[in-house]
Each structure stands twice: as C-alpha cells, then as structure tokens.
Amino acid sequence: MVKKLFGGLGITILGATLAFALTGCAEEEIPTQEGSSSQESTAVVTEETAMEEGDTVTIGGILPLTGEGAAYGDPMQKVAQIALDKVNAAGGVNGKKLSVIWEDGKCNGADAANAANKLINVDKVKVIYGGFCSSETLAIAPIAEKAGVVVLSPGSSSPDITNAGDFIFRNYPSDASQGKVLAEYVNSKGLKKVAILSEQNDYTLGIQKVFEEKFKELGGTVEVQTYLPQDSDFRTPLVKLKAGTPDALFINPQTPAKADLAFKQVEELQWDVQLIGNDVVAGYQDLISKYKDLVDGMIVAE
C-alpha cells in the first residue's frame, strides 16, 4: 500500500487554462497566486495582449517537448491543441482564429530562455503559455517581465514563482504546500531522521527546502545528497545516505525516468527503509508493478 497525501496539489485543467489564456478578450482579471507579496495586483488579459495578424490571434507556448520532460510536455501540448481546436470551431475570438507558436523548453532554464527570447523578440507575442517545469518558468520570467509579456504556467510549482514578477502567473499549487504537508505527516509518524536524495533543479530543490525547514522546525534532522539532471548512477549518494541509518529515505526526482532509476538502485542496495516520494513519484504509473515490495507503505504527495 502507498499512502498518498493531499498537499494542496490539484488537477490542472489544461484545456480551460489554455482557452482562458487565448480568449481573454473580455478583460478578465487574473489574481496573483496565493502567497504573492502583492495580493492586490492583477493582470488584465485582452485580445490586444496576443499578437494579431490578419484573421489570426497568436500566442507563444513553451513546454518540454523532447528529453525526459516530454513525459509532461507532449500530453499537455496535445490537450492544449484540443482546446485550441474547440475554441476555433466555436468561432475563435471575435471572429479571429487562434494559434500557438510552440517552442521546446526541454525542462531547463537555458533552452526556455532562448525560446522566450525568440517568441518575444522575433515572433512578437504578448502571451506565453508555459513553461511546465519550474526551471523553464523561472528562466522565462525576467525576460517576459521586462517586455511586459504575460506568462501563464500550467505546471510550475517552485515557491520562487510566487514572486517572479507582476506578469507571471500559474494555476498550479506552490510546492510550499507539498513540502510542509509531507514534513508534518512524516513527523507525526515518529520518524525523526530523514535522508533525502534530490535532483538539482528548481522544482525539486523547492520541495527539499520547504520540507527540510519544516521538518527541522518540528525537531527532526535531515541529511541531503543531490545529483545532476544528466546523472544516471545514484549509488554513491545512496550509499552515503544509507550509512547514516536514517528512519526514512525521501526520493525527490524531476521526472518518472529518474524516479525509476532511484528505486531500482535502492532495490539493488537491498535497503529496507521507510520511503517517501514527491508528486512525481506518486504519478509514476509503473511504480507499484515494478517495485511492489519495495514501495509497500511508502508515503507520497499528490
């Protein structure tokens, strides 16, 4: 059995999100996300905020379309296209057809920044749907903020996005909730010493930071070992964490592919320990079928 916690992480309604970003022609106010330093600030998205040419209204889209992050970006792009087709079939925006110029953010800051510069400076869009990965959105944010381009992310959860700018929005919960709920629940189970295997990127480091701060506040101790997104061998950090005899191991990856590698290597080490996982782990569909005995009783956020 895997114990799933609700940490403020909801279902992203992708079609509705894209349709809203595309069709805000009636001056819709978008409130800042919870926890923003400016609770009163709003952004107004109108038809004029998108690039118009002839009978078409165009916005930009940045998602991870290649690499491991494509596990998120590819289905999101397909759902967005369904929403786009639906809006166009209903007449578009004031009779204008809608289109998206898609760019590949590859789930990293450098590629997302290049994509944003191209969309803003070459394609002249005024709205960007994306990124999905937190590293994408945090890289896009200063470029879009300077240009006055509205960014709406459907999947970025780093707490840092809350204060990324007046033009930067998301409809996905902050990992401040996930990290806090996990820390409180783990502490309530009498687990006082947690080892964390964490990928080095904005999404995972955001969860790690919140969990670590809250768990220590509750009297627990934390030992962290990290790996780079391009790494595939976690045996050295896992051996170091195991040597510390923790009460639990928190596996904190960016993608299902990295989750699979981590669980496989924990299993190879024959490490019998209480496991904790982030929402990527919770969403890894093959987890129970591949590692049934290993993950029995694991605590995850979703």
Side-chain angles (χ1 to χ4, degrees):
M1 180 181 68
V2 176
K3 302 172 185 176
K4 295 186 177 182
L5 306 179
F6 176 75
L9 304 171
I11 297 173
T12 304
I13 306 174
L14 302 176
T17 301
L18 181 61
F20 178 76
L22 291 170
T23 62
C25 57
E27 291 205 356
E28 298 285 349
E29 288 189 348
I30 306 175
T32 54
Q33 55 265 31
E34 183 179 357
S36 170
S37 59
S38 178
Q39 291 293 333
E40 300 301 318
S41 64
T42 60
V44 177
V45 178
T46 70
E47 185 176 345
E48 288 71 29
T49 65
M51 182 183 74
E52 293 190 48
E53 184 175 349
D55 294 328
T56 303
V57 178
T58 304
I59 72 166
I62 299 176
L63 296 173
L65 301 176
T66 59
E68 292 179 358
Y72 308 126
D74 180 61
M76 184 168 293
Q77 184 187 36
K78 290 176 180 174
V79 171
Q81 188 61 50
I82 292 171
L84 186 70
D85 293 342
K86 190 173 183 178
V87 170
N88 284 336
V93 176
N94 290 342
K96 292 180 180 289
K97 295 295 184 180
L98 306 174
S99 68
V100 181
I101 300 172
W102 292 106
E103 299 291 339
D104 186 3
K106 299 182 181 178
C107 209
N108 71 71
D111 286 290
N114 288 337
N117 275 313
K118 186 259 186 184
L119 288 170
I120 293 170
N121 298 315
V122 177
D123 299 312
K124 306 298 182 183
V125 303
K126 293 298 180 182
V127 173
I128 293 176
Y129 178 71
F132 181 89
C133 299
S134 293
S135 295
E136 290 176 327
T137 302
L138 287 170
I140 294 165
I143 301 167
E145 187 74 12
K146 183 178 180 180
V149 170
V150 174
V151 171
L152 179 58
S153 170
S156 298
S157 54
S158 168
D160 292 339
I161 293 169
T162 299
N163 298 308
D166 294 333
F167 289 86
I168 315 304
F169 301 88
R170 59 177 165 193
N171 76 331
Y172 197 84
S174 167
D175 283 326
S177 299
Q178 179 175 172
K180 179 176 179 291
V181 170
L182 277 172
E184 290 173 342
Y185 186 81
V186 170
N187 177 75
S188 74
K189 293 301 178 181
L191 304 169
K192 298 300 182 183
K193 187 177 181 181
V194 173
I196 303 179
L197 178 68
S198 185
E199 192 164 329
Q200 290 188 41
N201 57 62
D202 292 299
Y203 156 69
T204 51
L205 293 179
I207 297 174
Q208 174 197 317
K209 180 180 178 182
V210 174
F211 178 91
E212 190 172 359
E213 289 178 352
K214 186 62 180 179
F215 196 65
K216 287 181 177 178
E217 178 187 313
L218 295 171
T221 61
V222 175
E223 181 181 355
V224 179
Q225 289 287 326
T226 62
Y227 62 87
L228 297 173
Q230 64 267 28
D231 290 347
S232 59
D233 187 348
F234 314 140
R235 290 173 181 82
T236 297
L238 283 171
V239 167
K240 289 180 180 178
L241 292 172
K242 184 179 180 181
T245 61
D247 299 322
L249 170 63
F250 185 0
I251 296 178
N252 187 32
Q254 167 84 27
T255 63
K258 287 296 189 288
D260 182 76
L261 285 171
F263 283 106
K264 181 180 180 181
Q265 290 169 33
V266 169
E267 187 176 63
E268 289 172 349
L269 287 172
Q270 298 182 332
W271 188 1
D272 183 15
V273 64
Q274 170 67 57
L275 292 172
I276 306 165
N278 63 15
D279 56 322
V280 167
V281 171
Y284 177 32
Q285 295 182 352
D286 295 331
L287 181 67
I288 294 177
S289 62
K290 293 184 71 172
Y291 305 105
K292 181 179 178 180
D293 294 335
L294 180 67
V295 302
D296 186 25
M298 182 173 63
I299 300 165
V300 295
E302 71 167 358

